[in-house]
Amino acid sequence: MLDFPRWKVLSIIGLLAALCALAIPSFLPESTVANWPVHPRINLGLDLAGGSYLLLEADTDDLIAQRLKQKKAEVATDMRRAKIEIGEIKLSGNQLTFMLRDVARLEDARQLLSQKTNGVGTTGQRDWDIAVVNSTQFVLTQTKAGIDAAIDGAMDGATEVVRRRIDALGTREPTIIKQGSTRIVVQVPGLQDPTALKALLGKTAKLEFKLVDINADPAQLAKGIAPIGDVILPYPEGARIGAPYIGKLTQPMPSANDPKVALSAGTPVIAVRDEAIITGKNLTDARAETDSDNPGAWAVGFQFDTEGGRNFAKVTQANVTRPFAIILDNSVISAPRIETPILGGSGRITGGFDAKASNDLAIQLKSGALPVALKVVEESSVGPDLGKDSINAGIKASIIAVVLVVLFMLVTYGRFGIYANWAVVINVMVIMGVLALINGTLTLPGIAGFVLTIGTAVDANVLINERIREERRRGRSVVQAVELGYKEASRTIFEANMTHAISGVIMFLLGSGPVKGFAVVLLIGIATSVFTAVTFTRMLVVLWLRKNRPQTINI
């Protein structure tokens, strides 16, 4: 029992001192510690610091339509490469259909299409169902399993894109989690106005470069009729394109961006090739910069990766003097003429941006396109006053808990109660130090877990002290009683806290939001309280016994 080497004493004191020091910045104003080389702080959750809450929902109909368009382009490319002649590919509802011109190539086409389907889940079901009607007509239908898998993958991707966009705003500790199969919860502490946040998160930021069809008839475009292989897109003022390629709608037509929204009569439109020459997936960087050709205006500079730069150079070399459209979310934002080949893999997007608009667009492009359109279905703002009241109530509850526990232990166990009280106070600081070290976020349920941890932190010392009393009643010497007290009680302590830890882990893994915040503080408190209550107090007792060699103890 008395064998407690100096290196172990110094190690314990050093570890606890370091963790306590990590808690200090959280007690000081942020302006005070801003210039410190290291100043980890505990972040406050939405319910404590105030902020914005958004509930986003995916447009699954749009995702299904996107998959159909992608499949259409894939089928057309594969059949062309295999030299299998087919008729026009038509889209209808959840299906695409086409006619096979040469019946002798039926099995070749079927095999080629089958190779492009994928198994979903563990049932072996494919993501696309392939059927042949009347020996020549192929019908490809999206299966429910395939749609569900696509939605799940798109939601995972959308959650990550939303996280990157919010991180780029410089906010602290946002909470971004999936809710159900088609929703994402966004909580941003400290952001009181969600308007800009909604605008940033609601855009898909799908960037494409497409050649303008210079042979399209403006009269036909005015009627909403595009040549085969083209798509009609609205043409904004100042997009820098020659008037011969523009038509003005004489009647409303569905928007390519959202078929539920019609482009009004009189809207200028142009025809661009349906197939993109390059997309935003090849983008490696995007940044806001001033527009050198238009003083006072802003632009967005971009840089492609090696593959994107090579493709961009090839296309611009082959289409000098021809206009091409820079398209964001199916809206033309710029349509410059290719004056010279663009060989550096970089360029600029102009369109009358101000500084904020160019920065927001750069964030959207750099963080990637949303794989599925999101819409805000619920929003709210939490003021900081409510959080301040919660913090004050939590601090008051913590102080009351600490004072009551300290008085109880002092009255009940004397000197050994003092050691337990030291352990409680240090445990409080250590918990805060660990939360700061992991850059944790403290929520109102977290404060509840914090108070609960304080109340139960002395459980271990109660078990140890009662066991020491029992051993003294049996006639053991002071050293033997203390040694057996710590040894026998420790087993019970570890087993009891293990069951608490299992419950905390389950809450952390299966819970979300407040439940997870409570579980984090609880798990940290279990680990730190066991260490301080068993190892730290044992060290204090050993140092006292080694110095005083008492023949009796009052416990």
Side-chain angles (χ1 to χ4, degrees), residues 213 216-217 220-233 253 270-273:
D213 189 345
D217 183 359
Q220 293 293 100
L221 295 181
K223 299 176 182 179
I225 302 174
I228 296 176
D230 284 5
V231 61
I232 294 178
L233 296 177
M253 65 165 285
I270 60 173
V272 299
R273 301 302 297 173

Side-chain angles (χ1 to χ4, degrees), residues 495-509 523 526:
E495 290 175 355
N497 280 280
M498 185 59 68
T499 59
H500 293 164
I502 291 172
S503 301
V505 169
I506 292 174
M507 283 192 292
F508 178 79
L509 295 177
L523 288 171
I526 289 172

